[in-house]
Amino acid sequence: MDPELRREIILDNYNNPQHKGKGTSNYIKVNTNNSSCIDNIDLWVLFEDNIIKDIKFDGEACAISTASTSIMIKELIGKSLDEALRFIDSFEKMIDEEKYNPELLNEANVFDEIYKQANRKTCATLPYKGIIKAIEEYKKRR
Amino acid sequence: MNYKDDFPMLNTGIIYFDNGATTFKPNVVIDSMDEYYKEYSANAHRGDYDISLKVDVAYEKVRDKVKEFINAKRREEIIYTKGATEALNMIVEGFFANILEPGDEVLITNSEHASNILPWYKLAKNKGIDVNFIPLDETFHITLANVKKSITDKTKVISIAEITNVVGDARDIKEITEYAHSKGVFVVVDGAQSVAHKKTDVQATDIDFLAFSAHKMCGPTGIGILYGKKELLEELDPLYTGGGMNESFDSISEVYYKDLPLRLEAGTQNIAGIIGLGSAIDYLNSIGMDNIYYTEQQLSRYLIEQLSKIKHIDIINMEPDSGIVSFNVDGVFAQDVAVYLNKYNICVRAGNHCAKVLKNSIGVKNTVRVSLYFYNTKSEIDKLVELLSDRDKIMKEMI
């Protein structure tokens, strides 16, 4: 991806994050934070019949974490649990420099070179740690 | 002064502004530790042969150096620990846990480091003591008036840092201690951010306990000091028992511990670290603590003067009494500023600096912190200021 475009997308999602806000009591709320830094995000996830109907987020985090959260939410809303898990798996593989499916990831491909900054990997994956927790919680309740 | 010849790390091209976290080590410190490992690597207090005797002598000689460095009255008032954190835990768990009663009160402040809060919180949970806060004024300082207002009949301890690690304010420990003692209140001082930066005199301030770490004063990691007045240390229960601290143990009812200071130094200590600490003290003394203090004051004033000129920078503490300056860049998360500066080999700290409760006072959770030491230079500060002056550049390069 063109570095200028990559930067523009990340900054746009940082400055104007999508789906910022708090969910209501029918949402599953999880907190996700990095012990090594100061990012701290709450996610609210609304599931219906194995579909992710809505996600909201709130908290304080760096540009990479915030942008990654905004992009992840846009991509996951409307996906079934299976689709979501495939997306998450592909994203994590990309971050870990393993073989992954870029076609699945759409806008989340902007983080395809984050592995070059080791200290930023945990920022990019922060919301994914959260959504996995929320999915596990949903499966438990179901 | 140019310290490049003294510190290998000053020749790496890195500009290091995170001295509140740890400091660089001069060659004299590194070499003295190497020498121990290469030339007389034996245990202490086992003086049956020459190199062990040499360790014994070195081990105790450093105790004398520390005693003089902080002007303690007696050498047995100096106890080796892993660092300030362990020392504070020993003070709370080994001493105060045994004398405080439920309902007794400990006074701390909102700007203390976690190491001077959590041991007290633990005691509060386990023993039912109260932990309350001396209010800070608008520049985050403690005033004697606020200390007076905070002390109640229940107050038994004031536990505060001499210099705090986020807003860099220095407390008038002598004045506070004098008043506290007049009310029968003990004073514990967290010296992690002060002992390396200004002259410490435990007799002049008359404090009861002091904790500090070697690695924040050009010494190695893993070694620190617990100072306590002798009569109080006598009552401090060893948290660890074992080798080196016992006199004899023929049966459960016949266990005898050694006298201070060894009673509180169970197990093989960090001998190389202790030797390194001794060299660090020699090194700091060769520069002079007054000189170090003066240099840092000059540098932090210069930094504030320069940062104040930048519109998009909000300085949290305009009047630090030390080399610690905290700030934020408008609209940029503290961590992103740190990542941006790292691209230019400048090390600063982003976060809450282990003082999580400070947000109650300053209303800001996270800051960028520059913590200076005597080996920093004005030209390093110029480089930092230049990089921070262009907000668009920060926004462009922070990711």
Side-chain angles (χ1 to χ4, degrees), chain B residues 296-306 320 322 372:
Chain B
E296 278 177 39
Q297 293 281 314
Q298 298 295 106
L299 287 172
S300 67
R301 265 178 223 154
Y302 181 70
L303 172 61
I304 289 200
E305 200 181 285
Q306 298 304 309
S322 66
L372 302 158

Side-chain angles (χ1 to χ4, degrees), chain B residues 248-256:
Chain B
S248 65
F249 51 101
D250 293 333
S251 69
I252 291 176
S253 58
E254 292 172 289
V255 174
Y256 300 98

Side-chain angles (χ1 to χ4, degrees), chain A residues 7 10-11 14-15 37-39 60-64 117 120, chain B residues 331 333 335-336 339 343 350-352 365-366 395-396 398-399:
Chain A
R7 202 175 55 77
I10 293 174
L11 274 185
Y14 174 53
N15 291 323
C37 71
I38 50 185
D39 295 332
E60 270 193 87
C62 68
I64 299 293
Q117 301 177 62
R120 288 290 214 175
Chain B
F333 196 59
Q335 192 126 36
D336 291 323
V339 168
K343 290 183 177 168
N352 52 47
K365 257 194 230 165
N366 299 308
M395 292 299 280
K396 195 173 157 195
M398 70 184 184
I399 51 174

Side-chain angles (χ1 to χ4, degrees), chain B residues 352-371:
Chain B
N352 52 47
H353 319 295
C354 296
K356 283 187 193 287
V357 289
L358 189 64
K359 67 175 186 288
N360 302 339
S361 291
I362 64 176
V364 177
K365 257 194 230 165
N366 299 308
T367 67
V368 181
R369 182 188 72 179
V370 170
S371 48

Side-chain angles (χ1 to χ4, degrees), chain A residues 19-38:
Chain A
H19 303 279
K20 197 137 193 231
K22 293 176 184 181
T24 46
S25 62
N26 51 337
Y27 285 64
I28 288 177
K29 184 192 170 189
V30 291
N31 175 265
T32 179
N33 63 72
N34 280 329
S35 56
S36 60
C37 71
I38 50 185

